[in-house]
Amino acid sequence: MEQVDDRLLTKTVSRRNGAGLLEREAAFALVHFFNHQTHHRGQVSALLDGWKIENDYSNMIVLELGA
């Protein structure tokens, strides 16, 4: 992210699916990607918790501090 500049963030990106064409600024796509990976980390954490397997996937502070 240190190398990302305003030119990239304001660039329009396009995606086509069965519902049609979706165009947004790249900044919106980046926010979506970060949020989506958090969603999947939560899914993995919930599965591991359900199986009684110790994990720290849902402990963002510990991950950020490198503890």
Side-chain angles (χ1 to χ4, degrees), residues 12-31:
T12 300
V13 293
S14 304
R15 176 175 174 246
R16 183 179 304 278
N17 63 16
L21 180 66
L22 178 65
E23 294 182 323
R24 295 285 188 273
E25 284 187 350
F28 289 104
L30 288 174
V31 170

Side-chain angles (χ1 to χ4, degrees), residues 31-41 43:
V31 170
H32 171 76
F33 296 148
F34 282 116
N35 285 333
H36 198 76
Q37 64 89 22
T38 301
H39 160 74
H40 284 293
R41 188 173 51 245
Q43 286 181 314

